[in-house]
Amino acid sequence: MSQSPFPMPDPSLYTEEEIANLVHTFYAKARKDPGLGPIFEAHVIDWDAHFVQMINFWSAQLRGTSRFRGAPMPKHIALPDLNAALFERWLQLFKETTGELGNPNLQQQANAIATFIAGRLWQGYQMSNYPDKQPVALHTA
């Protein structure tokens, strides 16, 4: 069994309200972003449902709740024309958002998880869409 690259979820460090604020604040920025916004707008049909799904996802990651049901990898692999710069921009906006929320524990933990997830999604995207090429890592600094 492999060990997680980040600490176990801890519901004492962040509230559901903080997680909901993170999700809503981040997506408000991402939807306005010239590179990310058009992708989200073209592929997210129901924003209210997407917010619920993302809040459940981050609550599971950060607080250990079990409400999230989904498979992010296939949905991302199916998107056309993604590239490393888009994943890096997503991560940059995410880290910018966590830095503004005033909870250092949330910032540190969410950023570690987001960095890991962005790298895995990008790796999976490359392996699925460019099977003859060696995957290239993201620049996540």
Side-chain angles (χ1 to χ4, degrees):
M1 178 157 46
S2 68
Q3 190 165 351
S4 173
F6 24 84
M8 292 295 294
D10 186 344
S12 71
L13 297 177
Y14 355 82
T15 65
E16 288 292 327
E17 293 77 19
E18 286 176 302
I19 292 169
N21 187 31
L22 166 62
V23 169
H24 285 280
T25 302
F26 167 73
Y27 280 104
K29 290 179 183 191
R31 291 173 78 179
K32 292 177 189 170
D33 186 79
L36 297 175
I39 296 168
F40 281 113
E41 294 302 331
H43 297 283
V44 176
I45 309 301
D46 180 345
W47 276 100
D48 289 336
H50 188 69
F51 287 138
V52 169
Q53 185 77 331
M54 292 299 93
I55 290 166
N56 287 344
F57 175 82
W58 284 103
S59 179
Q61 297 299 312
L62 295 166
R63 302 189 80 233
T65 59
S66 59
R67 300 186 311 259
F68 178 73
R69 300 286 180 265
M73 186 67 77
K75 292 181 181 191
H76 288 83
I77 286 172
L79 296 173
D81 305 320
L82 297 186
N83 58 55
L86 292 168
F87 282 88
E88 290 164 357
R89 178 64 178 148
W90 178 91
L91 191 55
Q92 179 186 22
L93 280 179
F94 190 89
K95 289 179 176 181
E96 179 182 295
T97 303
T98 62
E100 296 167 355
L101 296 180
N103 181 334
N105 291 315
L106 176 66
Q107 180 181 7
Q108 179 182 16
Q109 188 74 354
N111 287 355
I113 295 166
T115 299
F116 177 79
I117 290 168
R120 291 296 285 261
L121 288 174
W122 174 233
Q123 181 182 35
Y125 187 86
Q126 292 174 90
M127 290 170 64
S128 179
N129 289 283
Y130 312 110
D132 296 334
K133 293 186 178 180
Q134 182 69 23
V136 178
L138 294 177
H139 296 63
T140 58

